[in-house]
Amino acid sequence: MGSPVIVQIEDIYYPVLAAIGVPVNLVAIVILSRGNCGLSKCITVYLVGMAVADLLVIITDPIFYWIVSIYIPDSFLRITPVCSLIIVLLNAATVVSVWLTVTFTFDRFVAICCEKLKTKYCTEKTAAVVVGTVSVLGCLQSLPWYFTLEQYYFFNNVPMGCVHKPSFFTSPTWGAFELFHLILTPCAPVFLILLLNVLTARRILSASKVRRLYRGHSNGENHKDPEMENRRKSIILLFTISGSFILLWVTRVVHNIYARIADIQLYHSYTDPVYITQQTSNMLQLLSSCTNTCIYAVTQSKFRQDLKLVVKYPFNLIVKLVKS
């Protein structure tokens, strides 16, 4: 009898995701770091931080955790202390990636809705401090996961694999920690991003209406407004990143809330609908670590130009070597 359908899908999905996720995030880091995309330095710092976090998510989760488990089950990466460390890094990278999306959304909210705070908060220095702080706090918050794990089996007297200790499911302390982690990632971020986007959209609609009326009375309706055009591009970038994040995380949020309310700890089989929902939500969540580069390419013309140069560079180099 063959493997369950969900397992077969995972066996294909995670290698494909890794093969796509690593290069697209590396390309995003290189292009954004060049600073030629027409974005402010403040926005660039957030986007580079998000790309680095997404790259680490792809490396630690699909590659180190899933692919190694599927294709190299007795690798040194499966030794229990190493496996436990990978899970800590996996959680840290996910938390940082999620909360950098929140801080980027908040930065754009301040830039559009808080004129007095904008000049002090929306700066490259502040963005760097925020990215650094989120990264440190994300790592500290994820450290306790290391102590919730123990070996799954022994191979030549070496502890291998990682499973939760029995005490993890019975201890009130670990129960409180798991609930805190559930609220921190992803429930609170999804709520905050939705709230900030609603407030930002309301402000934009109000300001745009007033500005159109003013421009119409002073210059005529057909004149282009450079400020509104720049704001429009910034808002498209914000809403597409936020919208993509929410769509790909919403299944994970709903599943986590249901599993917590129903107190689900074990699954009956690979065909259990709740198990399939959990695995599907994991795959969608990880896909969110690959989408931002596509969003930049669709919404930012200067990013597309740099992307074309990056794609053509290896081929141009080969042509030069052949000619020489």
Side-chain angles (χ1 to χ4, degrees):
M1 186 176 179
S3 300
V5 174
I6 188 67
V7 175
Q8 295 178 31
I9 293 173
E10 288 174 334
D11 289 350
I12 299 171
Y13 179 81
Y14 289 117
V16 171
L17 184 69
I20 296 172
V22 170
V24 298
N25 280 300
L26 284 173
V27 167
I29 293 168
V30 171
I31 294 177
L32 292 169
S33 298
R34 286 161 53 89
N36 297 329
C37 296
L39 301 170
S40 69
K41 292 182 178 180
C42 173
I43 293 177
T44 300
V45 170
Y46 283 111
L47 297 185
V48 170
M50 290 160 63
V52 171
D54 287 342
L55 176 62
L56 292 175
V57 170
I58 295 296
I59 291 173
T60 55
D61 202 328
I63 297 177
F64 285 173
Y65 187 76
W66 286 102
I67 295 175
V68 169
S69 298
I70 294 169
Y71 296 103
I72 321 173
D74 296 325
S75 163
F76 80 95
L77 294 176
R78 298 299 297 159
I79 297 174
T80 300
V82 180
C83 175
S84 300
L85 180 61
I86 289 172
I87 290 178
V88 170
L89 295 175
L90 180 159
N91 278 281
T94 302
V95 170
V96 172
S97 175
V98 168
W99 279 96
L100 285 182
T101 305
V102 177
T103 55
F104 169 69
T105 306
F106 180 73
D107 177 87
R108 293 300 85 200
F109 165 77
V110 171
I112 294 166
C113 302
C114 309
E115 290 293 332
K116 293 182 180 179
L117 184 59
K118 174 183 175 180
T119 54
K120 294 182 179 180
Y121 184 81
C122 300
T123 64
E124 183 181 11
K125 182 179 179 180
T126 300
V129 170
V130 171
V131 170
T133 302
V134 169
S135 300
V136 171
L137 292 177
C139 292
L140 291 176
Q141 188 272 332
S142 301
L143 279 176
W145 286 112
Y146 186 91
F147 304 101
T148 69
L149 303 165
E150 64 181 6
Q151 75 281 350
Y152 181 54
Y153 64 96
F154 285 91
F155 180 75
N156 292 333
N157 293 324
V158 177
M160 303 291 290
C162 295
V163 292
H164 286 298
K165 297 176 180 178
S167 60
F168 177 77
F169 300 103
T170 58
S171 169
T173 302
W174 286 126
F177 172 72
E178 185 184 21
L179 180 61
F180 170 73
H181 180 76
L182 172 63
I183 295 171
L184 185 70
T185 307
C187 293
V190 169
F191 171 77
L192 288 173
I193 289 173
L194 280 172
L195 176 63
L196 290 170
N197 280 339
V198 168
L199 295 175
T200 303
R202 188 175 67 174
R203 171 72 174 183
I204 291 168
L205 292 173
S206 175
S208 297
K209 184 177 180 180
V210 172
R211 192 168 181 86
R212 279 198 303 270
L213 289 172
Y214 173 77
R215 296 277 297 183
H217 286 302
S218 60
N219 299 323
E221 291 290 346
N222 294 326
H223 287 272
K224 289 187 176 180
D225 186 345
E227 183 177 333
M228 291 302 297
E229 186 66 18
N230 290 333
R231 179 174 290 187
R232 184 184 69 83
K233 292 179 180 178
S234 178
I235 294 311
I236 289 174
L237 179 63
L238 167 65
F239 285 175
T240 48
I241 289 176
S242 301
S244 170
F245 173 84
I246 291 171
L247 286 174
L248 294 174
W249 272 86
V250 67
T251 307
R252 179 72 177 268
V253 173
V254 172
H255 171 268
N256 284 352
I257 293 174
Y258 173 78
R260 188 73 189 182
I261 294 174
D263 193 26
I264 296 173
Q265 298 177 4
L266 298 173
Y267 300 101
H268 301 296
S269 68
Y270 287 114
T271 58
D272 188 328
V274 181
Y275 175 80
I276 293 174
T277 303
Q278 173 188 279
Q279 301 307 98
T280 303
S281 69
N282 288 341
M283 289 188 279
L284 290 173
Q285 171 219 313
L286 290 172
L287 181 61
S288 69
S289 297
C290 301
T291 55
N292 283 351
T293 303
C294 298
I295 290 171
Y296 306 150
V298 171
T299 62
Q300 305 295 312
S301 59
K302 292 185 178 180
F303 185 92
R304 288 197 298 273
Q305 293 172 7
D306 272 13
L307 181 59
K308 290 177 183 177
L309 293 176
V310 170
V311 172
K312 290 179 180 178
Y313 179 78
F315 299 100
N316 293 336
L317 186 61
I318 293 171
V319 171
K320 287 181 181 179
L321 290 174
V322 171
K323 288 182 179 180
S324 62

